[in-house]
Every structure is written in C-alpha cells, then in structure tokens.
Amino acid sequence: MAFSTIKESITFHPLGDTAIVIQAGDDIREDIHQRVQHIFACIEQYPFQGYIEAVQAFANVTVFYEPYTVYQSAQLHLGAMSLYEWVKSYIKQLLEDKWKEEAEGKRRTVDIPVCYGGAFGPDLEEVAHINDLTPEEVVRIHTSGTYLVYMIGFAPGFPFLGGLSDSIAAPRRDTPRMSIPKGSVGIAGRQTGVYPISTPGGWQLIGQTPLPLFRPDQEAPSLLKAGDQVRFVQMSEKEFFSMKEAKR
C-alpha cells in the first residue's frame, strides 16, 4: 500500500528530549504491524546522524537519538525548528521516499519443532478441557497455523506471536510457575509464544522445543525478530532428545 494512503494514520510525539514515538495505529492487527515493520526498516537502513536505536512494539516504533550529535549535524538546517521537529521531518520525508521499497521486502518463515504434552507440555490437557477438545486436536490446530512475530520482549528472545486460533485460546494460569523450562511453548489468551530461557511465567504450557531461541554468543542473539513468521512442527520425544543433544 502506498504511504500516501495511510500517512494520516501515522502520528508522531516526543518522548522526553531524546526520543520520538511513531504511532502506526492503536490496535494489535497484522496490517498495523506491517506499518511498524516498514517504519523500522526504513530508519534502520537510512539512519540520521545522532541515531542510537529504534525499538518496535505492537503498534509503534520509538526512535532514540543523541541530541548534541543531532544538533551538530543538522544545525545549518534547523532554523526555528527544535531537534524533535527536525527528527520528525527527517523521518516523515524518509518514509515518503522509501516506503514502497521496504514494503516489498520478503518475510522470513521459521519452523520450530515441538514435543507436545506430558512433561513437555503439562497444561495441554487443561487447554483441551477449556476448549472442549482432545489434546490431539489442540496439537493439530496449533501446528496448522502460521504465526506472526509481533515483538520480542518480556525475556531475551521471547516472541509474542499473533494468529492463534480462537478454538485453542486459553487464559493465563491462576498461579504462575516460579520456573518454566527453557524452550517451553505456551498459550495466553489469543497469543502463543516460546520461553527462550528459564523464567517465572503464567502461560499455559503445551509443549517444548529443543531449538535455542536465545543465543547470547552470537551477533544476533535472538533467533526470531519482529516481522518473522513461525510454524510449529510436531516432533517425537526421541527426536526431541536427539536434537537437544546435537545442539550442545
């Protein structure tokens, strides 16, 4: 979609003296998230002097910058503009110029193998009971979907995935667990996700993957990034331990 047709729905506001928030909408929807992806990609590829980083959320991008460096590089063009106004004008023009180029980029799809139920997914039967299904039906529905990574957060490398079928949605546990095994696959409401590290949490656990999602020794420590698509693939217990051993 051309930037000119949606630019009125994109708004800007300052966050203190060192950041600007670019709001792409006010809901958790795939089309809004695509806007977030395009904005982030444009800024990452064409940063301005003083740019520090951009952080994506469900419906906005926050751009952090170093004020003095921005002032040094832009002082001849500032006129009566504040630094915030200059950064805003730079980003607006950038989006006008580069939107189509970024919007035509391809999405990456990542397959995540999962061993469901038993000790790997202690809440699988509860999720099935909540939805009047069998555990096998929950697994079939969970593995039939393609999920969008809306954002990475909560824990290093933790993907918030949208696209879960309403037929297997389930509320968070009344009592969170104090420790959840690394690789656990869970459901909370209409979202599914994977715990990349062992951490407390309250999601309903339906399975576990031996695939490392957080690799602190690599340049890109998170296996997934916002905008990726995920598919879950069922694996056997034997395959789980074989893959886990190979990953050591």
Side-chain angles (χ1 to χ4, degrees):
M1 181 180 292
F3 180 70
S4 59
T5 63
I6 63 169
K7 64 182 180 181
E8 297 303 321
S9 63
I10 295 178
T11 59
F12 301 79
H13 63 266
L15 184 64
D17 297 326
T18 60
I20 179 172
V21 177
I22 309 161
Q23 196 72 35
D26 56 6
D27 199 0
I28 301 175
R29 297 202 319 260
E30 185 169 348
D31 62 324
I32 291 176
H33 186 70
Q34 286 178 347
R35 298 177 197 170
V36 169
Q37 285 294 296
H38 301 336
I39 293 167
F40 177 82
C42 286
I43 295 168
E44 279 281 282
Q45 189 168 351
Y46 302 99
F48 52 90
Q49 288 291 318
Y51 169 78
I52 297 174
E53 66 173 338
V55 179
Q56 302 174 75
F58 283 111
N60 62 50
V61 178
T62 301
V63 177
F64 294 89
Y65 54 87
E66 203 291 307
Y68 185 64
T69 305
V70 174
Y71 173 76
Q72 284 186 310
S73 65
Q75 57 182 314
L76 295 178
H77 310 286
L78 280 173
M81 287 193 296
S82 66
L83 292 182
Y84 161 74
E85 290 170 332
W86 184 89
V87 172
K88 175 182 173 180
S89 68
Y90 174 91
I91 294 173
K92 288 183 73 173
Q93 189 60 56
L94 177 65
L95 296 181
E96 290 272 9
D97 295 341
K98 303 296 183 181
W99 185 269
K100 182 179 179 181
E101 177 182 324
E102 294 303 330
E104 292 177 349
K106 293 183 178 179
R107 261 187 194 160
R108 184 178 66 145
T109 299
V110 179
D111 289 344
I112 297 181
V114 180
C115 188
Y116 289 91
F120 300 98
D123 300 322
L124 177 60
E125 292 196 9
E126 176 63 17
V127 172
H129 174 73
I130 289 169
N131 291 288
D132 196 24
L133 298 169
T134 66
E136 292 76 18
E137 288 173 321
V138 172
V139 173
R140 177 183 59 77
I141 295 168
H142 193 255
T143 55
S144 67
T146 300
Y147 304 92
L148 174 64
V149 181
Y150 274 92
M151 60 182 290
I152 303 294
F154 163 62
F158 186 101
F160 286 90
L161 305 176
L164 184 72
S165 170
D166 286 340
S167 61
I168 58 171
R172 295 170 184 263
R173 288 169 51 87
D174 291 335
T175 304
R177 291 181 171 91
M178 294 303 296
S179 180
I180 289 177
K182 179 176 68 173
S184 293
V185 178
I187 288 175
R190 293 186 58 205
Q191 290 191 104
T192 187
V194 185
Y195 286 83
I197 62 175
S198 179
T199 178
W203 290 37
Q204 305 276 4
L205 306 183
I206 62 171
Q208 190 176 350
T209 179
L211 184 68
L213 267 68
F214 179 61
R215 301 89 38 97
D217 57 330
Q218 298 195 23
E219 183 177 348
S222 177
L223 172 66
L224 300 173
K225 63 181 185 297
D228 285 345
Q229 291 182 323
V230 169
R231 294 181 301 205
F232 293 105
V233 180
Q234 186 175 14
M235 71 189 317
S236 67
E237 184 174 332
K238 181 179 179 180
E239 290 171 327
F240 177 93
F241 287 114
S242 177
M243 184 174 179
K244 190 171 184 178
E245 185 65 27
K247 292 293 182 181
R248 288 183 178 176

